[in-house]
């Protein structure tokens, strides 16, 4: 009876999004599988905006339902907003992309993106291993389908095949790690696991560490950190470009959120046993991601390695021994910055590479002369990713750097600075193409469609706005009671 007496209003955004996703799917199904359907894209975009408003309205109050399996707290609310903004930007990018690819089933893609957003929202509100896994698989299965959406392209098929095989293996690792925890504690509730963890580690240290390592390996794959990143470049290159943006930003953000909740709630009592593992993974991820990106000539592979490197920066606060509020504040600030600058860049990459019918860096040659707005905007996003001043990426990296120095992990701070410097070279390689190379003779002026202009404008506002109000935002976030369990 407790389930029926629960405050189900906490789950209003998820319930409404599920209904809207099914509605979009049904409308698509009843209007035929082929042809242009821009209204489905607009309807999906509006669905995400409605859901984001509901998150703000109904998730203001913290609480939990159904024996603490689904919780709402500031941590879940802010990550849900980041996920919904990210998926909405991906749908805007997809609308332009789909117009050029008539062989793709438009409605299916939009409804899959909505279901992926629903899975990600369930993940970040999960406080139980079972609901967490359900959300994870809903997101993962949608992502596998989206990666192979260009059925006529062998690269896309290869990407989907690799993704589903390796993704399934990663899920098996996560389940195996969870089974150890359940066998030792007799519960799947994260809070109960967290309370039992110190004594559990004292009694069964090897089993607890094995459980932890299996889960880190599984989630490490989902967020593509070294050494579990090998799938990412091939899958990112073969996927439709807007979906590459989705995998790079949204899917990764959801994976980070649940990894943070598991480590902080479930394994927080044995922090001393895992913080150095996370620090080493963060260091390797920054080094490998940034150095391998240097030799990439395909812009999607370059951004894949860039995304791997960015995952390293997001991991650093977890390894630093700071107060929990400051750690969360760092991660959430950089998450929002990452979503805006990455998806803004991917919107431009999608449009430019489709126009050139080429994904080589040279497709950006002379972009400044063809479209000053796109060239200037791309420069802002790349500068932000590199971590240069007056952008959100700069503030986020400085914030993380100061946190690492405060926790006296100087070696990690040095690696962060060196790898950030390395990243300048490949980001400026694109800028060099845009401003210092002439366009090809057959290239004409580029006029971005409304959807691309809108996403670029929103991303620019986000990239500059987060930097401009950084002090106010970080002060607000430092005062939040992030996780209620």
């Amino acid at each position: 009876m407790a389930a029926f007496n629960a405050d189900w209003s906490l789950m209003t955004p998820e319930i409404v999004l599920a209904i809207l996703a099914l509605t979009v799917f049904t409308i698509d199904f009843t209007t035929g599988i082929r042809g242009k359907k821009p209204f489905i894209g607009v309807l999906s975009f509006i669905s995400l905006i409605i859901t984001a408003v509901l998150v703000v309205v109904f998730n203001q109050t913290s609480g939990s339902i159904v024996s603490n399996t689904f919780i709402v707290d500031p941590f879940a609310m802010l990550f849900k907003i980041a996920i919904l903004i990210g998926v909405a930007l991906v749908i805007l990018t997809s609308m332009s992309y789909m117009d050029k690819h008539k062989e793709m089933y438009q409605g299916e893609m939009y409804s899959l993106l909505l279901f992926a957003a629903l899975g990600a929202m369930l993940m970040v509100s999960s406080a139980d291993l079972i609901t967490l896994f359900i959300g994870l698989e809903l997101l993962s299965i949608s992502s596998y389908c989206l990666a192979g959406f260009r059925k006529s392209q062998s690269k896309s098929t290869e990407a989907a095949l690799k993704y589903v095989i390796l993704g399934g293996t990663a899920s098996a690792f996560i389940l195996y790690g969870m089974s150890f925890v359940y066998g030792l504690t007799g519960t799947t509730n994260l809070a109960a696991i967290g309370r039992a963890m110190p004594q559990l580690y004292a009694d069964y240290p090897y089993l607890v560490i094995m459980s932890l390592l299996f889960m880190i390996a599984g989630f490490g794959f989902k967020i593509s950190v070294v050494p579990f990143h090998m799938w990412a470049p091939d899958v990112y290159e073969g996927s439709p470009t807007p979906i590459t943006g989705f995998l790079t930003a949204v899917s990764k953000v959801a994976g980070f959120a649940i990894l943070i909740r598991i480590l902080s709630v479930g394994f927080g009592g044995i922090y001393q046993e895992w913080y150095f593992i996370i620090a080493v993974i963060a260091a390797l991820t920054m080094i490998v991601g940034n150095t391998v990106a240097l030799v990439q000539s395909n812009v999607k592979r370059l951004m894949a390695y860039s995304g791997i490197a960015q995952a390293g920066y997001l991991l650093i606060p977890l390894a630093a021994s700071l107060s929990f509020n400051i750690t969360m504040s760092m991660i959430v600030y950089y998450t929002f910055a990452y979503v805006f600058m990455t998806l803004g860049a991917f919107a431009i990459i999608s449009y430019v590479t489709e126009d050139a019918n080429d994904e080589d860096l040279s497709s950006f040659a002379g972009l400044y002369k063809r479209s000053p707005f796109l060239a200037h905007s791309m420069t802002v996003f790349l500068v932000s990713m590199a971590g240069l001043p007056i952008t959100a990426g700069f503030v986020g990296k400085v914030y993380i750097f100061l946190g690492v120095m405060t926790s006296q992990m100087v070696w990690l701070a040095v690696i962060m600075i060196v790898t950030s410097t390395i990243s300048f070279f490949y980001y400026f390689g694109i800028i060099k193409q845009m401003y210092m190379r002439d366009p090809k003779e057959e290239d004409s002026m580029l006029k971005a469609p409304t959807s691309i202009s809108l996403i670029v404008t929103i991303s620019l506002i986000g990239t500059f706005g987060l930097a401009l109000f950084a002090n106010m935002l970080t002060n607000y976030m430092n005062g939040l009671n992030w996780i209620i369990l």
Side-chain angles (χ1 to χ4, degrees):
M1 290 300 293
F4 294 102
N5 295 328
D7 181 9
W8 286 96
S9 67
L10 294 173
M11 204 185 260
T12 301
E14 283 79 7
I15 294 170
V16 171
L17 181 58
I19 293 170
L20 291 170
L22 287 170
T23 305
V24 168
F25 182 78
T26 305
I27 292 173
D28 172 56
F29 185 72
T30 54
T31 54
I33 58 173
R34 292 187 182 277
K36 291 185 179 180
K37 297 182 183 178
F39 63 96
I40 298 277
V42 173
L43 186 60
S44 303
F45 179 76
I46 293 171
S47 301
L48 292 165
I49 300 300
I50 291 171
T51 309
V53 172
L54 292 174
V55 168
V56 173
V57 173
F58 286 95
N59 288 179
Q60 286 280 344
T61 307
S62 297
S64 64
I65 56 174
V66 195
S67 304
N68 292 332
T69 55
F70 183 91
I71 62 171
V72 169
D73 49 24
F75 175 86
M77 186 183 78
L78 288 172
F79 268 104
K80 283 180 191 176
I81 292 171
I83 288 164
L84 290 167
I85 290 173
V87 179
L89 295 180
V90 170
I91 285 179
L92 283 179
T93 309
S94 303
M95 290 172 71
S96 165
Y97 184 86
M98 301 282 258
D99 282 344
K100 288 202 162 191
H101 297 279
K102 296 181 177 60
E103 80 278 11
M104 295 173 71
Y105 301 157
Q106 295 198 5
E108 278 184 20
M109 188 170 184
Y110 296 129
S111 51
L112 278 171
L113 283 167
L114 293 183
F115 282 119
L118 177 63
M121 289 174 68
L122 287 175
M123 277 173 67
V124 300
S125 263
S126 293
D128 188 277
L129 298 180
I130 294 173
T131 52
L132 181 159
F133 195 74
I134 291 170
L136 176 67
E137 287 306 289
L138 184 55
L139 171 63
S140 299
I141 292 169
S142 302
S143 301
Y144 303 151
C145 298
L146 289 166
F149 225 73
R150 294 193 69 184
K151 300 181 186 71
S152 58
Q153 298 286 321
S154 58
K155 276 190 176 181
S156 188
T157 307
E158 180 188 345
L161 195 60
K162 283 184 178 175
Y163 200 16
V164 74
I165 291 172
L166 295 174
T169 307
S171 296
F173 270 85
I174 293 170
L175 272 182
Y176 196 46
M178 288 177 174
S179 70
F180 277 82
V181 175
Y182 178 70
L184 292 170
T185 62
T187 179
T188 54
N189 185 276
L190 272 179
I193 292 168
R195 285 192 293 272
M197 189 52 65
Q199 185 59 45
L200 209 61
Y201 180 72
D203 295 340
Y204 308 100
Y206 297 114
L207 287 176
V208 169
I209 291 299
M210 279 179 66
S211 161
L212 178 66
L213 291 178
F214 275 118
M215 279 197 259
I216 288 178
F219 285 112
F221 171 88
K222 301 292 182 185
I223 58 177
S224 64
V225 293
V226 176
F228 315 107
H229 67 291
M230 300 301 286
W231 62 278
D234 289 344
V235 173
Y236 287 9
E237 184 184 358
S239 302
T241 309
I243 301 307
T244 307
F246 170 80
L247 297 174
T248 309
V250 183
S251 183
K252 189 171 289 189
V253 164
F256 261 105
I258 201 59
L259 179 64
I260 292 165
R261 197 181 285 278
I262 286 180
L263 288 179
S264 59
V265 178
F267 291 88
I270 56 167
Y271 169 78
Q272 292 298 327
E273 308 302 326
W274 55 259
Y275 85 94
F276 191 71
I277 297 173
I278 298 295
V280 170
I281 291 175
L284 289 174
T285 302
M286 290 186 289
I287 293 169
V288 173
N290 281 306
T291 50
V292 180
L294 279 174
V295 295
Q296 301 303 316
S297 58
N298 181 294
V299 68
K300 284 168 74 177
R301 290 187 75 87
L302 185 151
M303 293 302 289
Y305 282 105
S306 162
I308 290 168
Q310 297 287 345
Y313 301 125
L314 274 167
L315 270 185
I316 291 175
L318 266 181
S321 55
L322 301 163
S323 80
F324 189 68
N325 276 8
I326 293 176
T327 298
M328 288 297 103
S329 179
M330 283 179 189
I331 293 173
V332 171
Y333 181 90
Y334 199 74
T335 295
F336 274 92
Y338 179 65
V339 166
F340 283 121
M341 61 195 184
T342 302
L343 292 180
F346 264 101
I348 298 173
I349 290 170
S350 174
Y351 184 59
V352 172
T353 54
E354 283 302 308
D355 179 75
N357 198 25
D358 187 359
E359 293 173 354
D360 193 87
L361 285 175
S362 60
S363 60
F364 281 85
L367 183 63
Y368 170 67
K369 294 178 181 173
R370 303 174 65 204
S371 174
F373 171 66
L374 291 183
H376 293 328
S377 302
M378 189 68 181
T379 304
V380 171
F381 300 136
L382 293 172
V383 163
S384 184
M385 282 189 265
L388 290 178
I390 75 165
T391 60
F394 169 74
V395 177
K397 280 188 179 175
V398 168
Y399 198 16
I400 292 171
F401 176 78
L402 293 176
V404 179
M405 291 301 291
T406 305
S407 62
Q408 299 184 340
M409 299 180 79
V410 178
W411 65 275
L412 195 54
V414 171
I415 290 174
M416 182 182 174
I417 293 295
V418 171
T419 53
S420 293
T421 307
I422 292 171
S423 73
F424 295 166
F425 290 95
Y426 60 82
Y427 288 132
F428 279 83
I430 301 176
I431 294 173
K432 181 180 170 185
Q433 290 285 339
M434 292 192 294
Y435 293 94
M436 300 176 71
R437 295 284 185 270
D438 290 325
K440 296 170 187 169
E441 288 184 6
E442 65 272 22
D443 288 341
S444 56
M445 293 295 288
L446 273 181
K447 188 175 186 314
T450 307
S451 58
I452 295 295
S453 299
L454 183 59
I455 183 176
V456 170
T457 305
I458 293 171
S459 300
L460 282 174
I461 292 170
T463 304
F464 283 127
L466 285 172
L468 192 61
F469 299 105
N471 193 42
M472 186 178 73
L473 291 171
T474 51
N475 285 339
Y476 165 73
M477 289 192 286
N478 287 342
L480 290 175
N481 181 22
W482 282 97
I483 291 180
I484 62 171
L485 293 177

